[in-house]
Amino acid sequence: MKKATYEKQAIKGGYKLIKAIIFDFDGTLVDTETMWYRMYKEVLLHKYGIHLPLEEFAKVIGTTDEALYAYVEAQTQTKIDFIQLEQEIHRMIIAQKDQLVLREGAEEFIQQARKMNLKMGIASSSPRKWIEDLLEHLHVRNVFSVIKSKDDVQEVKPNPELYVKAVEALGVYPQEAIAIEDSVNGSIAAINAGLTTIVVPNEVTAFLEFDKRVRVYQQFTDIQLPTS
């Protein structure tokens, strides 16, 4: 069967040919993005008197932070030690780690996928240690047989390499997998890797405009997977 025909039938059949689900991590399974934005706003305003618009922060969701760094330096007209800044914000987030929980409906969605014997993995632009530590904290590390992080690729999202490596490791074809994302950068990566792509926006990505090939659901409970 040709790939295009396979994908068309998979979509028309309500994901009945799907064998795997690959989740983005930050902002998708756990809404760390909203916390990162709040912390960035607080630190930049306190230390540099800079107001950080959500539109600027959203440009780096799901990818590298270069665009954010460029914006900050343009506002301050000075060089900033961004490694130190990131470390400071990271410490602030870790101090509030107990506030980080699975997004509403995500646990039930995962349980449904497990009952269907779907393979599950993660493809994230974040470092592996960050992902692993939070998954352990949330008691769901054993759910995911594959984790592909920024440590595994030359380029993160929107480059499709993370998803390409994730489907290969799961032993499925791209058209047999669903990607679940929260950002434009992540959804572009999944689309270009050949996956059926779902977006469940969070508080800081809800205003974004997504590709017409993406299915947007307001929460995990809205996603309907086949029961047989």
Side-chain angles (χ1 to χ4, degrees), residues 76-93:
T76 60
Q77 296 294 305
T78 187
K79 294 293 289 183
I80 293 175
D81 187 340
F82 287 107
I83 294 177
Q84 185 178 21
L85 179 64
E86 291 278 356
Q87 289 174 343
E88 179 180 352
I89 293 173
H90 185 265
R91 287 193 295 269
M92 294 168 67
I93 289 177

Side-chain angles (χ1 to χ4, degrees), residues 175-194:
Q175 61 268 30
E176 295 174 327
I178 294 174
I180 302 186
E181 278 282 351
D182 72 297
S183 71
V184 171
N185 289 310
S187 61
I188 290 171
I191 290 169
N192 288 338

Side-chain angles (χ1 to χ4, degrees), residues 190-204:
I191 290 169
N192 288 338
L195 282 71
T196 297
T197 306
I198 288 174
V199 167
V200 185
N202 56 53
E203 187 176 329
V204 297

Side-chain angles (χ1 to χ4, degrees), residues 15 42 59 69-70 75 82 87 89-90 94 118 139 156 181 196 202 219 224:
Y15 310 129
E42 179 181 325
K59 292 177 183 177
Y69 298 164
Q75 299 301 306
F82 287 107
Q87 289 174 343
I89 293 173
H90 185 265
I94 292 301
L118 295 177
H139 309 293
V156 296
E181 278 282 351
T196 297
N202 56 53
Q219 51 192 2
Q224 297 297 316

